[in-house]
Amino acid sequence: GNKFIFGKNTNMMPQIKSIVTAAACVLAFGLLSFKGDKDPLNKKIYILQVNEMKDGQPKNKKPMEDELEFKDGKVFSNIALDKHEFKWMKYKITKDSTYEDEGEQKHLIEAESLATNDKDETMIINCRVDQYDIEGTFKLTKKDILKKLYQFTGKEKAKKK
């Protein structure tokens, strides 16, 4: 099918050019939308055990259950909502890497979320996901003073088949 492109017919040139331009646009757009899909945490839910910390010790004997849900660039935690009125909070992936462990490729992701509520309190969620395990902290600050600190560990919730 290449014959006519290299033929003497010069009318084809502008058309080829526009095809190339269109292809370049599609490619660039494809990369952009791909970046959206590439969020490794999108649509994942983690079941957490959360400890409220005080002076480096868990405040309660028993950790609280929570679900951390990532969706479309935002993260949701029941504790953040119930206790501090934070709804869906934007997050960003700060690290996305693979490492080798005993010859196996493993996926390590770190993410951070920061939001302010109506009371001028800021919630900072830092988490680190290693394969199916998650750990991290919720920090609640007001005017840069730490008011509450929660530490959590958890596991990815199995998707309903």
Side-chain angles (χ1 to χ4, degrees), residues 3-15:
K3 266 203 299 273
F4 66 89
I5 294 181
F6 298 108
K8 301 257 185 311
N9 189 345
T10 49
N11 297 349
M12 293 300 292
M13 284 317 283
Q15 209 177 333

Side-chain angles (χ1 to χ4, degrees), residues 60-153:
N60 306 313
K61 288 197 173 64
K62 215 166 96 200
M64 301 174 277
E65 283 256 327
D66 194 8
E67 275 194 18
L68 201 61
E69 182 175 353
F70 294 91
K71 199 165 144 200
D72 302 330
K74 293 189 174 154
V75 60
F76 181 86
S77 143
N78 293 320
I79 288 178
L81 177 67
D82 297 343
K83 293 187 176 284
H84 307 294
E85 295 161 35
F86 285 93
K87 294 196 172 94
W88 287 92
M89 302 164 50
K90 281 198 177 89
Y91 67 89
K92 62 175 191 276
I93 305 286
T94 52
K95 183 176 181 174
D96 183 355
S97 61
T98 46
Y99 66 95
E100 210 165 285
D101 182 30
E102 294 172 4
E104 215 184 312
Q105 284 289 320
K106 301 211 166 166
H107 199 170
L108 181 74
I109 306 156
E110 292 179 7
E112 179 178 76
S113 172
L114 199 143
T116 307
N117 66 8
D118 303 337
K119 301 184 201 146
D120 200 28
E121 296 171 326
T122 302
M123 172 71 81
I124 304 156
I125 300 178
N126 283 301
C127 64
R128 178 190 157 111
V129 178
D130 190 345
Q131 292 294 86
Y132 304 105
D133 295 318
I134 188 167
E135 58 175 22
T137 55
F138 300 146
K139 288 188 185 111
L140 186 76
T141 63
K142 187 161 185 172
K143 297 187 171 55
D144 294 329
I145 294 164
L146 186 65
K147 311 240 328 205
K148 289 215 181 259
L149 173 64
Y150 302 94
Q151 281 183 351
F152 61 82
T153 56

